[in-house]
């Protein structure tokens, strides 16, 4: 019998700001110290909604000069859904805020709420990436104080490959059939590895034979990022058990491990410091199934004797 099986994935996220470039010798970073003034057009705040193409292999946080937006019915990788502004002490900083700062946590909270309104559910339940993008240090020095809330559709669940779209993302995660909601998944293991040596997790139809299914999000309590990997793994297992049990409608008791395994997919330290502590929880039954296990109960996941 395959017992509780856990995959701990440090998901690659697209959060954060940009690294400050080095300055020429004998300058202090002030625009009046030998640097040409920026054209006023460069300080114009982004306008949402809008869609943007990205150069191949480029993350949105690495963009220092955005191209002109395109209609969302044309090929694009990034959808700008809203724009906010830093204010007060956050706006008086000498450099753009970074992940872990109260300013970026506040910006993330705003962006996550806007994404939920647009998508129809928490962005983390879908093949979607949310990034909080801030001005480059040069633009910040020149007075830019905006932050962008950008969404990107993903081709997969575990490797965060960006998808090119020709339609906007509105409603893509609605509960009544959103196209990017995570549901049933195919779980493949590495050739020659142990049964829990997971290689890929990617979406498939629940009507086809599959190894797992997304059950929901476990949200750990706020606080510092747990430094010990084993402690994080144990906490994620314990947190996902009631999520999986509630999804399938089975007791979270001593027999849980005799019914099913589970897979956990947490986000990484950068995401945690930004305010996203979520852990994706997947049910992994003893053998592949060809139907959803939502609400299947003890008949759907009976106790299996090893």
């Amino acid at each position: 019998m395959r017992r509780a099986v856990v995959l701990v994935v440090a998901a690659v996220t697209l959060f954060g700001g940009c690294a400050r470039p080095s300055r020429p010798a004998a300058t202090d970073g002030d625009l009046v110290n030998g640097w040409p003034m920026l054209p006023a057009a460069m300080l114009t705040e982004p306008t949402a909604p809008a869609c943007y193409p990205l150069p191949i292999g480029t993350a949105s946080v690495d963009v220092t000069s955005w191209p002109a937006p395109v209609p969302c019915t044309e090929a694009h990788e990034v959808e700008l859904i809203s724009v906010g502004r830093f204010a007060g002490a956050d706006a008086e900083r000498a450099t753009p805020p970074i992940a872990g700062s109260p300013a970026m946590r506040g910006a993330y909270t705003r962006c996550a709420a806007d994404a939920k309104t647009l998508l129809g559910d928490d962005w983390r339940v879908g093949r979607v990436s949310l990034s909080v993008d801030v001005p480059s240090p040069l633009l910040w020095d020149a007075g830019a104080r905006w932050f962008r809330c950008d969404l990107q559709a993903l081709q997969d669940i575990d490797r965060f490959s960006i998808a090119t779209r020709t339609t906007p993302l509105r409603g893509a995660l609605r509960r009544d059939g959103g196209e990017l909601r995570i549901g049933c998944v195919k779980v493949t293991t590495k050739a020659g590895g142990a049964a829990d040596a997971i290689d890929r997790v990617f979406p498939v139809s629940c009507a086809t034979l599959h190894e797992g299914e997304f059950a929901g999000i476990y949200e750990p309590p706020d606080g510092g990022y747990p430094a010990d990997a084993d402690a994080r793994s144990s906490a994620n297992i314990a947190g996902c058990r009631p999520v999986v049990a509630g999804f399938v409608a089975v007791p979270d008791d001593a027999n849980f491990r005799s019914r099913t395994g589970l897979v956990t997919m947490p986000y990484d330290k950068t995401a945690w410091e930004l305010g996203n502590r979520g852990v994706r929880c997947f049910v992994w039954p003893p053998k592949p199934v060809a139907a959803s296990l939502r609400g299947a109960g003890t008949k759907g996941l009976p106790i299996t004797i090893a």
Side-chain angles (χ1 to χ4, degrees), residues 7 30 35 38 67-68 91 120 137 158 179 183 208 275 299-300 302:
L7 168 67
D30 292 335
W35 288 12
L38 292 174
D158 55 348
E179 59 175 307
T208 64
K299 290 184 178 180

Side-chain angles (χ1 to χ4, degrees), residues 249-275:
V250 296
D252 180 15
D253 58 16
N255 291 320
F256 180 87
R257 294 180 60 185
S258 295
R259 296 183 188 277
T260 186
L262 61 82
V263 174
T264 71
M265 295 182 70
Y267 290 87
D268 64 8
K269 181 180 179 182
T270 300
W272 180 290
E273 292 176 344
L274 193 62

